[in-house]
Amino acid sequence: MLQIVKYPHPALCQKCYPLRKVDAELKEMIGEMFQLMYSHKGVGLAANQVGLPYRFFIMNPTGKEENKEEEYVFINPEITRGSGKPITDEEGCLSFPEIYFETIRSPKVTIRAYNLRGEEVTYKWDGFPARIVQHEYDHLDGVSFFLRAAEEDWDIIDQIEKLKKTFQQQQAEGTIADNETLQKELQRLAELRAML
C-alpha cells in the first residue's frame, strides 16, 4: 500500500536508482501511484515521493483521472535539453502539503525515457508540462522544489522547519520509523529492482 511521504523523509533527500526492467509488478505500482496522485489532486508524482528509491515518475498535466490519454510514465529519464528564458511561476508539491511559492524553471525541455512497454521515447514539452517534468525530475536527484525558489523567503523557511519538526515528532511517537530503519528499507527496495 503506497503512501505519499512528507519532507524530510530520507527517500526525498537522496538520488534514485535506475530500474533494471519493466514488469507486471512495476506496472501495478505505477497504477497505484496514479490513483494516489489523483486522490491528492496532483499532476505529477515521483517514485521517491511514495518511498520507492527508483528513477521514474508519472504525470498528467490535466490532473483529471478521466483524461487517460494525458497520462505519461517516464522510466530512467534524462532531461537532454532545457531552453528559453527562465520563467518564474508558483509551484506546490504533494510531499510539502499546502506550501506554495515562486520557482524558476526553463520554459521548454526535451526528455528521453522509457515507457511502460519498455520502449525508448523522447518528448518535447513547454509551458506547464515542462514545469511538471522539471519538478519531478528534480525529485529523482533528491532535489526538493524549495531549492529552486525565485528569492529567499523566510516564510517558506519557517514552513519547511515546521514540516521537519512534525516529521521528527512522528518518529519520536513511533508512527514513522527512525531514519536508520527507513534507510535500510530503501536499500532493500533498491536491491530488489534497481541497477546499483
Side-chain angles (χ1 to χ4, degrees), residues 131-145:
R131 181 168 288 273
I132 299 168
V133 164
Q134 290 170 85
H135 178 111
E136 302 306 334
Y137 188 84
D138 269 355
H139 272 304
L140 303 185
D141 286 333
V143 176
S144 295
F145 79 140

Side-chain angles (χ1 to χ4, degrees), residues 22-111:
V22 176
D23 58 16
E25 189 178 9
L26 178 66
K27 291 176 182 177
E28 189 176 321
M29 283 189 259
I30 287 172
E32 199 174 332
M33 282 175 64
F34 270 113
Q35 291 306 310
L36 202 53
M37 184 185 82
Y38 293 131
S39 69
H40 285 81
K41 303 191 184 320
V43 292
L45 192 63
N48 55 341
Q49 287 185 271
V50 293
L52 299 173
Y54 309 131
R55 212 161 172 79
F56 75 87
F57 67 88
I58 62 171
M59 173 179 84
N60 181 337
T62 72
K64 297 181 186 299
E65 187 174 358
E66 60 270 23
N67 294 345
K68 294 291 184 187
E69 72 282 359
E70 294 296 323
E71 291 184 350
Y72 295 90
V73 178
F74 304 83
I75 299 169
N76 296 346
E78 180 186 357
I79 289 181
T80 58
R81 187 169 181 216
S83 61
K85 184 179 178 182
I87 292 176
T88 300
D89 206 348
E90 187 177 76
E91 284 184 29
C93 180
L94 298 181
S95 294
F96 294 76
E98 299 178 23
I99 297 177
Y100 302 90
F101 54 89
E102 302 285 310
T103 59
I104 302 169
R105 303 282 184 189
S106 294
K108 298 180 181 181
V109 292
T110 301
I111 185 167

Side-chain angles (χ1 to χ4, degrees), residues 181-196:
T181 302
L182 293 174
Q183 288 284 9
K184 284 180 180 176
E185 176 61 9
L186 289 169
Q187 185 62 31
R188 184 189 73 80
L189 290 169
E191 289 169 0
L192 282 176
R193 311 185 64 84
M195 292 185 282
L196 300 177

